[in-house]
Amino acid sequence: EVQLVQSGAEVKKAGASLRISCKGSGYSFGSYWISWVRQMPGKGLEWMGRIDPKDSYTNYSPSFEGHVSISADKSINTAYLQWTSLKASDTAMYYCTRLNILTGYDFPLFWMDVWGQGTTVTVSS
Amino acid sequence: SYDLTQPLSVSVALGQTATITCEGDNIRNKNVYWFQQRPGQAPVLVIYRDSHRPSGIPERFSGSNSGNTATLTIGRVQAGDEADYYCQVWDSNTGVFGAGTKVTVV
């Protein structure tokens, strides 16, 4: 079974650093990109960025560029989302997703076909 | 940036058909994806590339995309279909979600 299992809930103070993880299983981890999605309390989904675990190439949504960093360690089938200085406004649920890929077109087609269970991050000021 | 507009809510009677729209400029030129999010759960992909259903998604779920509007249709609505539904596209290598539509089954 294809699965993404995320690390547990975090409670931090503003200014702290944090790294949450997403471990893939049941498929060839290096063959699929991973993306991260934020959902603030009571709000909708926001795409943050994605990474190719093969070579750690990343691209970010302009809304999140410079505020978070995405990394991956393909040797342990794990992707990460990291903050160096949390803010209260980072309080949210964070999901990792696998990006399925279809090539053979002018450019690859990606879609988020498998989602992790989510990691709740609570930041107090 | 590219904007997607969804109705805030849709109400549908049990057993009837729910139609959820997603509007965007010339959205017909993009591939549209639909996600279902039940309360307290992670989102689930229900339609990819406008009209394809992942394995395990009932045939009651269908999608279309034309002009400036993509549509998710849920036939023979069941109580378990009550959820938030999000459309999504890619624009300049960035994922863009609609604000979501809450489907209520009455």
Side-chain angles (χ1 to χ4, degrees):
Chain A
E1 180 194 4
V2 175
Q3 266 190 314
L4 295 174
V5 177
Q6 298 184 227
S7 50
E10 301 277 0
V11 179
K12 294 286 189 180
K13 290 195 180 303
S17 63
L18 175 65
R19 188 177 77 168
I20 62 176
S21 66
C22 168
K23 185 175 177 65
S25 63
Y27 72 99
S28 175
F29 186 76
S31 298
Y32 295 82
W33 296 48
I34 294 286
S35 69
W36 288 91
V37 174
R38 183 176 79 175
Q39 188 167 38
M40 299 177 77
K43 302 298 184 184
L45 304 174
E46 301 173 272
W47 187 81
M48 301 176 73
R50 62 187 178 183
I51 186 166
D52 181 353
K54 246 189 353 290
D55 58 12
S56 289
Y57 171 81
T58 54
N59 78 275
Y60 296 89
S61 162
S63 301
F64 292 93
E65 180 105 51
H67 297 290
V68 297
S69 63
I70 297 171
S71 59
D73 184 344
K74 64 182 180 183
S75 70
I76 54 172
N77 294 351
T78 301
Y80 303 96
L81 180 65
Q82 183 169 338
W83 296 260
T84 56
S85 181
L86 286 161
K87 304 174 185 177
S89 57
D90 292 318
T91 294
M93 177 74 83
Y94 293 88
Y95 295 100
C96 63
T97 84
R98 188 182 79 161
L99 290 181
N100 207 330
I101 304 169
L102 185 62
T103 57
Y105 293 81
D106 290 343
F107 44 85
L109 301 181
F110 291 94
W111 62 95
M112 292 175 262
D113 69 341
V114 179
W115 291 63
Q117 84 278 17
T119 296
T120 300
V121 174
T122 304
V123 184
S124 62
S125 52
Chain B
S1 63
Y2 191 83
D3 292 324
L4 295 172
T5 301
Q6 297 183 237
L8 200 58
S9 62
V10 166
S11 191
V12 57
L14 193 67
Q16 297 305 302
T17 297
T19 301
I20 305 160
T21 57
C22 175
E23 295 182 357
D25 187 37
N26 287 320
I27 198 171
R28 70 180 183 278
N29 294 329
K30 297 185 180 294
N31 288 284
V32 179
Y33 306 88
W34 290 92
F35 301 90
Q36 174 195 67
Q37 187 178 32
R38 294 188 175 108
Q41 296 187 20
V44 172
L45 178 71
V46 293
I47 293 289
Y48 67 99
R49 291 177 56 214
D50 295 343
S51 59
H52 295 79
R53 271 179 295 103
S55 64
I57 300 302
E59 290 183 13
R60 302 183 296 104
F61 288 81
S62 62
S64 63
N65 186 7
S66 175
N68 293 318
T69 304
T71 303
L72 173 68
T73 303
I74 310 172
R76 302 184 303 282
V77 163
Q78 302 176 359
D81 297 332
E82 192 160 277
D84 293 325
Y85 291 83
Y86 296 89
C87 59
Q88 181 256 319
V89 300
W90 295 95
D91 182 67
S92 301
N93 288 322
T94 298
V96 178
F97 286 98
T101 298
K102 183 175 184 59
V103 171
T104 302
V105 180
V106 298

